[in-house]
Amino acid sequence: MFIIGEKINGMFLPVAAAIRSKDEKFIRGLAASQMAAGASALDVNVGPASDDPKSAMKWLIETIQKEGDFRISIDTSSIEVMESAVSICKNRPILNSATASADKLSRLAALAANYKAELIALTMDEKGIPSSDEKKLELAAAIVAGAENAGLSPSDVYIDPVLLPVAVSQPSPRAALEVIAQIKLLSDPAPKTIVGLSNVSQGASKSYRSLINRTYLAMAISRGLDAAICDSLDGELMAAAAASEILADKFIYCESFVDSFKKNRK
Ligand code: THG
């Protein structure tokens, strides 16, 4: 399981405050702790409040890279912010996120190909998030085709079925499991699949969120999920990921699930 730590996101108030006050120590600590807990990359999102997203993103990435050459998932909907951020990543960047909208997809896929980056793409387009699984799969196929046109291999692409909170749309997380399983049949090599895991528990009471997150992660791993943007600091979540991967027969059985997970993570 490829784990992308979710915490460097301006949606979190302490992160928004650290961006405003240029608190390097706080951001470096958040980078180091998420990586030490088993993340393989860090999602970086300046959040909704930033008045200068381009320089905020640049400062965040530079600050993180003072701590280590960690892989960065550049989480922005602005192509301009993406272009400036990708050029300063010291390690293979992940572009988060494209959509199936043809113009945006071709520009971001070309940018990813240019920097030998990986690309996360959402199964949505200018009309929004489709309600049917079939339409999401159609968009996933369009994403694979668009990425290949730009010179990416499907295996450089993570397709995200866009998880809605179970508290908002109860059928949505279960339906996303079908999409995750079906995406694997689209091409050979297949694209990878990813979810923004914490979305699933948004709006649920705080005491249940971790339980909902790790239960869903186990269900998604059983359907072939490759990656998650999630809270690597949640030890129970990481242990559930490790146990699920062993039970899904991805790794050889080992009693020490977490140790095994750390050794085997890609
Ligand atoms: N797909 C892709 N990228 C994504 C998402 C996705 N990036 C952002 C997001 N979704 C994934 N990251 C988060 C980070 C935090 C939360 C949810 C998803 C979260 N935050 C708390 C909340 O909203 O209740 C607020 C912060 C706090 O606890 O203080 O849950 O789906 N490709």
Side-chain angles (χ1 to χ4, degrees):
M1 171 77 12
F2 189 78
I3 301 280
I4 303 179
E6 73 180 10
K7 290 283 186 201
I8 302 181
N9 189 317
M11 170 205 313
F12 294 105
L13 294 180
V15 174
I19 295 172
R20 270 196 305 277
S21 65
K22 294 242 159 65
D23 184 347
E24 290 197 356
K25 197 165 164 240
F26 180 84
I27 297 298
R28 288 178 64 160
L30 213 43
S33 60
Q34 291 183 91
M35 295 301 290
S40 298
L42 299 168
D43 195 59
V44 180
N45 185 317
V46 298
S50 180
D51 46 350
D52 184 357
K54 201 165 154 181
S55 55
M57 180 65 85
K58 190 162 177 274
W59 177 79
L60 280 172
I61 294 172
E62 283 167 354
T63 302
I64 292 164
Q65 292 182 156
K66 287 182 185 169
E67 191 62 32
D69 284 352
F70 304 140
R71 292 194 63 192
I72 308 283
S73 154
I74 309 162
D75 189 351
T76 177
S77 55
S78 154
I79 295 198
E80 211 197 343
V81 173
M82 193 70 88
E83 280 169 346
S84 95
V86 75
S87 69
I88 61 167
C89 288
K90 292 186 184 158
N91 214 324
R92 189 179 190 200
I94 302 162
L95 276 49
N96 183 19
S97 46
T99 68
S101 294
D103 184 49
K104 189 170 192 192
L105 175 62
S106 66
R107 288 179 69 183
L108 287 173
L111 189 62
N114 205 9
Y115 282 88
K116 303 202 182 324
E118 291 183 300
L119 181 69
I120 299 174
L122 310 170
T123 56
M124 59 181 287
D125 61 10
E126 53 284 339
K127 296 191 207 99
I129 304 170
S131 50
S132 79
D133 297 357
E134 290 73 20
K135 184 68 192 170
K136 282 191 176 180
L137 284 164
E138 231 175 77
L139 295 184
I143 289 164
V144 171
E148 284 194 295
N149 271 341
L152 291 176
S153 159
S155 56
D156 296 326
V157 179
Y158 288 90
I159 297 185
D160 183 333
V162 194
L163 264 190
L164 298 182
V166 69
V168 169
S169 166
Q170 192 173 344
S172 167
R174 195 214 56 80
L177 296 175
E178 299 303 327
V179 178
I180 287 165
Q182 297 285 327
I183 281 171
K184 285 297 181 187
L185 309 174
L186 281 178
S187 61
D188 184 15
K192 293 172 177 158
T193 51
I194 190 165
V195 293
L197 184 65
S198 298
N199 297 8
V200 80
S201 64
Q202 272 175 328
S205 63
K206 208 166 168 58
S207 52
Y208 288 123
R209 288 199 65 181
S210 169
L211 174 64
I212 293 169
N213 291 343
R214 66 180 178 270
T215 303
Y216 190 75
L217 185 61
M219 294 169 74
I221 286 173
S222 83
R223 305 302 299 272
L225 183 73
D226 297 293
I229 301 167
C230 63
D231 181 7
S232 67
L233 301 179
D234 179 344
E236 285 186 298
L237 176 70
M238 298 300 277
S244 301
E245 291 207 296
I246 290 162
L247 291 167
D249 198 20
K250 279 206 180 174
F251 299 116
I252 202 157
Y253 173 73
C254 171
E255 267 186 349
S256 179
F257 292 138
V258 178
D259 288 353
S260 155
F261 177 64
K262 284 184 175 167
K263 271 191 222 105
N264 285 312
R265 72 178 200 259
K266 290 176 284 179

